[in-house]
Amino acid sequence: MTRRPALRTARVAWRHSLRFRLALVYSLVALAITTVIGVAVVTLLLGSMDRQFDARLNERADVLAERFTNLSKGLGERPPPITGFTVLVDDQGRVALSSNGLGLQPGEPFPQVSTHRLRLQGTPVRAVTRKAGGFGTLWVGLPEDDLIAARESALRALLLSALVTPLLMLLLGYWAGRRALAGLGQAADLADRIDPTRSLATLPLPEREDEVHRLLAAINRLLVRIEAGQAREKQLLGQIVHELGAPLTVLKASLNRAAERTGDAEVSRAALVADELTFTTQDLMQLARGQLEMKLVWHYIPAKTLQGRLDRLVPGTEFQGDWTGGILCDPDRLTQALRNLLANARRAAGPEGSVSLTLEETPEQVRFTVRDSGPGLPPELGERIFEPFVSGAGSSGLGLSVSRQIALMHGGNVTGGNHAGGGAQFVLCIPGAALGDDQEDPDDEGETEEDPAALAAARP
């Protein structure tokens, strides 16, 4: 029985998405352009208004000064309307004449005659002076209220455009990017659903032959090349393992017979090395065939039978728990999975260390716990320890990956970590015999096409 977790489509967070980054870039560009153009326009506008204000002030001062200089000019003409402030100051700096509203008395000193910007009665005033013939100096000022109000209005408009324009650009850019990149997003969703254990499927191409079309077409060509390369690698690996399996089986059997006949410790160690190589070829065969290409051969075996196998394969293992019951499993595959866990534990613990295998069985679950007295798992590896060719103890890196694959084929799993008391601990769980009624009849499964050499090595 094989249980496989459902593949879930990985969604990209909005702040990490390409369309958001593009919209953000466009918004920042829009902000820069709006700010530069707005500052330039406001500067020109305010400069023009300032020049118009100065021209108006100078014109009024010239007209009034001309009337004081040329008394005959303008006789019978109506004087211009009085706007702003006007003060006639004599040569001693005293007020000779002032416009209404200033509250200045004749003969009163007027020290502001040389000041061109000041506040009168709480109003900002800009002023100029002119010679008034023999009457002294004419001081003419105009209030800047309107000019200041216009400047503030222009700055507020600039600030509002700097805030609103990027926000609108961000929203519009995100919406436009979402529509423009919709094909790419759909392709990413489909690529997420590709199962690497199956034949790789190509991605559908959009109707419009744009950059997205070119990218997806290139990805499809890459997928075809990857699938062809995987097929060649799998075929080559299977051929190599098959060629190695038979000689290793003969070598292992010969060394075992020689060890039994002579009792030589060196021959016994050589037989163990042959065992190691045999199981490595089995791991490679498992990797080459993949989980979907293999079927389990179910048997109900006594737990003692499994214990005997493992005791011969990994000597020095301490067996704990209750081994008097029975287990529904593929004996060869389960032996291979547990042997890999025990071999890794023995390698980590060393010759003087301890390795234990604890069996806990319930009607719903069979739980094997492998614990060693070694240094434990490297914390930086995490779940990567179950990936092929990733090893934290100098091994081939296939054992844990194959053990998890076999557990998944049984409907269980393998988890690993460090024990609180020190050392590493791996737990392999498979469904208990009580769940066997819901499984397919083992006789209906049929025997799988296994490598004879690999099966001979797995069975004691």
Side-chain angles (χ1 to χ4, degrees), residues 14 54 98 100 105-106 117 143 155 285 298 302 327 333-334 353 392:
W14 62 269
D54 286 337
S98 66
N100 296 330
Q105 301 297 326
R117 287 183 181 274
L155 292 177
M285 180 63 75
W298 295 91
I327 303 172
R333 296 300 174 196
L334 186 58

Side-chain angles (χ1 to χ4, degrees), residues 314 316 341-356 370-376 393 422-424:
V314 188
L341 297 179
L342 291 172
N344 283 344
R346 173 53 62 194
R347 190 181 297 110
E352 305 300 327
S354 63
V355 175
S356 65
V370 177
R371 182 181 173 189
D372 62 64
S373 59

Side-chain angles (χ1 to χ4, degrees), residues 341 367-370 386 413-417 425-429:
L341 297 179
R367 178 186 177 95
F368 299 91
T369 303
V370 177
F386 292 102
N413 197 7
V414 175
T415 58
Q425 176 175 290
F426 287 89
V427 178
L428 186 151
C429 295

Side-chain angles (χ1 to χ4, degrees), residues 277-297:
L277 292 175
T278 301
F279 272 96
T280 300
T281 58
Q282 284 185 295
D283 292 343
L284 289 172
M285 180 63 75
Q286 180 87 358
L287 179 68
R289 290 178 174 177
Q291 180 175 341
L292 293 179
E293 298 180 18
M294 304 185 70
K295 295 181 180 180
L296 299 181
V297 180

Side-chain angles (χ1 to χ4, degrees), residues 20 27 101 117 132 171 199 243 258 274 288 314 323 339 358 387 398 403 454:
F20 176 76
S27 300
R117 287 183 181 274
L171 296 176
S199 177
E243 294 297 326
V314 188
W323 292 82
R339 180 265 167 198
T358 304
E387 295 179 8
L398 287 175
S403 294

